[in-house]
Amino acid sequence: MAILPKKRKMSPGEEDTITRTQWDRYVRARDSGHLDYVDLAKKCDAYYQGEQWDSADVAALDAEGRPTLTINTILPTINTVIGEQSTRRADIRFKPRRGGDQEIADVLTRLYMQIADNNKLDWIEQQVFSDGLIMDGRGYFDARIDFSDHIEGEVRIMCKDPLDILIDPDAKDSDPKKWNEVFETRWMTLDEIEETYGKKQAERLRFIAENGNSFGHDSVEYNDTTFGDSDDMDEYATAPDTDDYRNVRSLRIIERQYRKLVKTDCFVDMESGDQRFVPDNWSESKTKKFAKTHSLSIYTKMRRRVRWTVTCDKVVLHDDWSPYNDFTIVPYFAYFRRGRPFGMVRNLLSPQEQLNKISSQELHIVNTTANSGWMVESGSLTNMQVEDLEEHGAETGLILEFNRGSTPPIKINPSQVPAGLDRISQKAAANIQAISGINDSMLGTDGAEVSGVAIQAKQNRGAVMIQVPLDNLKKTRQYLAEKIL
């Protein structure tokens, strides 16, 4: 949805206060665990994709001639849970309460189905659910009105990148109605800013960035046009005012939705007790006329309204009351404990590392057993050099010819495979199943000797083990349905 233009011209002092407050709130949320979350979420995502070895460890093992195996058991484990979610997709139905009208409820149900079909909600939900399992427990819907196709607007539901969303660091509840603020941040080029917010704002930002008067490296990215290593700069230091750093690559857009306490007039039906807030654009005369026509009373009360502010460095791009009663962000947390969400992959990292290292060590031992080496008397070989024996000594059908009277070459006895090494790798694989709750029957890897009744019982038990992330998905569906309504 395009951001609405500002209603009034803002003074430089007001703009400076808004942008600095916005930046300080963003920095607080960023430094209160979000950077740690980003690192862990990227690691979990890499493990799911099979990138499970550190590059420094791979280089060190390659130099020693040791293998680096990746036995990616996280991929089928997570895919099994995603498959369970796909088979449990639900349709939202509205029901009347307190004497409500069933016909209206039926219309709302059909309307919700139409909105879900238009947005391909099943696919979006699967992506959000996958983010929650993989990206350390966090996935996000975004529901708002889109005016690009229809003059009166349509409900648009999107899946947001969890790395771009910063939630209130003081929040302890999974319900966004109890949060004080939420951020969405992303990098945009000057051309993209000009397209979205206008040429004037883009030129102001270009001037600020090119003169090194920005909030720092986390607010403006510059193209590296020097021989030096720009990575050595302080990550959040202000860019120097030199020509070497005037080539602006992108700028950070900070979109903040937060609650603010304000006085608001509301209509009250004295018979039923129902109350509704007066629309913002209604004049005092129109408000009084409406109240008189419908026999309503007018009261003034304190209300926590949602303020929507969008800034880029020291420029305000939008600052006004949100057209929505709540945040547009609807979260999904796979697991949630008192303000600390986490996903399924996080607890599988250690056993997966153990499985990879043990399997690699087993292969290394087998390789050294097949080519354990030779003990050769100096100058005793006649049909090859010592270097040739080193290269071809493990080949089948090797013929060695040595000088008469010299000590014959002796193959070095290899070290025996340590007892129980193979069982350690089996334990690591079993740990992954025990932690995730995904057993052989759910993976479809049970042997032919296992009865169908036993397989069904194990599948049912496994479904109970993964019920928590599925129940949390039902909670998110409730939040999303309330938001769309």
Side-chain angles (χ1 to χ4, degrees):
M1 182 188 73
I3 298 299
L4 298 175
K6 299 187 291 292
K7 291 184 177 180
R8 62 181 180 84
K9 189 174 182 180
M10 190 177 299
S11 68
E14 288 178 310
E15 185 173 41
D16 183 69
T17 300
I18 291 173
T19 54
R20 289 189 178 278
T21 301
Q22 181 99 328
W23 179 256
D24 290 342
R25 298 298 300 180
Y26 160 73
V27 170
R28 180 176 181 272
R30 180 197 69 192
D31 296 343
S32 298
H34 181 72
L35 294 178
D36 295 334
Y37 160 74
V38 170
D39 291 339
L40 184 55
K42 288 182 177 179
K43 181 177 181 180
C44 292
D45 191 34
Y47 268 62
Y48 173 74
Q49 299 180 48
E51 301 171 6
Q52 300 176 356
W53 286 90
D54 184 82
S55 57
D57 294 338
V58 172
L61 292 172
D62 285 344
E64 298 177 4
R66 292 174 176 265
T68 53
L69 297 181
T70 300
I71 314 298
N72 190 2
T73 58
I74 290 180
L75 178 66
T77 300
I78 299 300
N79 286 349
T80 300
V81 183
I82 295 175
E84 284 288 323
Q85 178 268 334
S86 298
T87 61
R88 301 188 187 191
R89 287 173 177 158
D91 293 327
I92 300 296
R93 296 185 60 186
F94 293 89
K95 297 181 179 180
R97 288 184 178 177
R98 297 173 60 184
D101 192 334
Q102 181 64 47
E103 292 184 2
I104 295 178
D106 294 339
V107 171
L108 289 174
T109 299
R110 290 193 291 269
L111 180 60
Y112 187 94
M113 293 175 62
Q114 176 68 20
I115 293 173
D117 290 341
N118 289 344
N119 287 275
K120 300 178 176 59
L121 185 57
D122 286 342
W123 297 345
I124 296 176
E125 182 182 277
Q126 186 181 65
Q127 180 63 52
V128 172
F129 183 75
S130 302
D131 287 340
L133 293 179
I134 300 168
M135 305 293 283
D136 199 34
R138 304 183 188 187
Y140 298 98
F141 290 100
D142 185 278
R144 60 180 71 181
I145 299 296
D146 180 20
F147 296 93
S148 58
D149 293 334
H150 198 282
I151 190 67
E152 294 183 356
E154 297 175 319
V155 177
R156 184 69 62 219
I157 306 172
M158 297 173 287
C159 173
K160 292 294 183 179
D161 187 346
L163 303 182
D164 294 341
I165 305 298
L166 292 78
I167 56 180
D168 180 9
D170 296 324
K172 292 185 178 181
D173 200 284
S174 61
D175 188 351
K177 292 181 180 179
K178 299 181 180 179
W179 299 354
N180 291 320
E181 61 185 359
V182 63
F183 296 84
E184 181 183 358
T185 178
R186 58 195 180 277
W187 292 99
M188 294 180 68
T189 64
L190 286 169
D191 290 340
E192 292 172 335
I193 292 174
E194 180 178 344
E195 179 183 1
T196 306
Y197 301 102
K199 184 176 181 179
K200 181 180 178 180
Q201 303 290 43
E203 289 301 323
R204 292 182 62 199
L205 288 167
R206 185 192 303 275
F207 179 81
I208 292 174
E210 290 181 348
N211 286 275
N213 192 27
S214 67
F215 281 127
H217 186 64
D218 193 39
S219 182
V220 181
E221 281 189 339
Y222 298 88
N223 286 323
D224 187 8
T225 58
T226 66
F227 288 106
D229 186 1
S230 61
D231 292 337
D232 292 337
M233 294 173 54
D234 183 2
E235 186 177 5
Y236 306 117
T238 301
D241 186 12
T242 64
D243 291 337
D244 293 335
Y245 292 93
R246 291 187 177 182
N247 192 359
V248 180
R249 180 192 304 167
S250 57
L251 300 97
R252 182 180 294 280
I253 303 293
I254 301 176
E255 182 176 323
R256 177 182 173 222
Q257 301 175 53
Y258 59 101
R259 303 187 190 278
K260 195 172 181 180
L261 200 61
V262 294
K263 289 184 178 180
T264 309
D265 292 335
C266 61
F267 297 116
V268 179
D269 186 341
M270 301 306 295
E271 293 184 4
S272 64
D274 287 342
Q275 60 181 12
R276 295 291 185 272
F277 290 105
V278 177
D280 297 333
N281 57 351
W282 281 25
S283 64
E284 183 178 356
S285 59
K286 184 177 181 179
T287 301
K288 291 181 178 179
K289 182 179 179 181
F290 184 87
K292 183 178 180 179
T293 302
H294 298 278
S295 302
L296 301 175
S297 299
I298 301 176
Y299 284 85
T300 301
K301 60 183 298 185
M302 299 302 293
R303 173 190 178 191
R304 288 172 58 84
R305 293 189 61 184
V306 177
R307 190 80 178 177
W308 199 330
T309 303
V310 183
T311 62
C312 181
D313 204 79
K314 296 183 179 181
V315 175
V316 175
L317 302 175
H318 174 74
D319 181 51
D320 204 347
W321 296 111
S322 172
Y324 313 108
N325 294 328
D326 297 301
F327 302 144
T328 61
I329 298 297
V330 180
Y332 165 67
F333 301 123
Y335 298 90
F336 191 87
R337 282 296 303 165
R338 299 294 183 184
R340 299 180 65 87
F342 60 95
M344 182 174 288
V345 174
R346 179 200 288 193
N347 292 303
L348 302 180
L349 296 178
S350 293
Q352 180 65 61
E353 289 179 356
Q354 180 187 23
L355 178 61
N356 289 341
K357 292 179 179 180
I358 298 252
S359 300
S360 300
Q361 186 64 16
E362 284 181 312
L363 180 60
H364 175 67
I365 292 174
V366 172
N367 290 340
T368 55
T369 300
N371 188 14
S372 57
W374 298 81
M375 291 188 295
V376 183
E377 182 179 335
S378 178
S380 63
L381 297 176
T382 60
N383 65 335
M384 65 176 62
Q385 299 295 325
V386 175
E387 292 78 7
D388 298 328
L389 181 62
E390 180 182 3
E391 182 178 354
H392 304 285
E395 293 180 356
T396 302
L398 177 69
I399 298 177
L400 294 177
E401 183 177 346
F402 60 94
N403 296 325
R404 181 177 298 176
S406 62
T407 303
I410 302 174
K411 190 172 181 62
I412 299 174
N413 291 326
S415 301
Q416 298 299 315
V417 177
L421 184 63
D422 57 336
R423 290 195 295 273
I424 297 179
S425 61
Q426 294 175 4
K427 289 181 179 179
N431 288 337
I432 292 177
Q433 291 190 4
I435 294 172
S436 65
I438 304 299
N439 51 48
D440 291 335
S441 296
M442 299 185 71
L443 292 170
T445 58
D446 271 325
E449 71 280 359
V450 182
S451 68
V453 175
I455 291 176
Q456 184 64 46
K458 291 174 66 178
Q459 288 177 343
N460 294 338
R461 189 59 188 171
V464 173
M465 292 288 289
I466 62 173
Q467 195 61 40
V468 173
L470 294 174
D471 277 349
N472 286 334
L473 180 62
K474 292 172 61 178
K475 184 189 300 183
T476 298
R477 288 170 178 163
Q478 175 76 19
Y479 295 156
L480 183 61
E482 292 174 356
K483 180 64 182 175
I484 293 176
L485 178 61

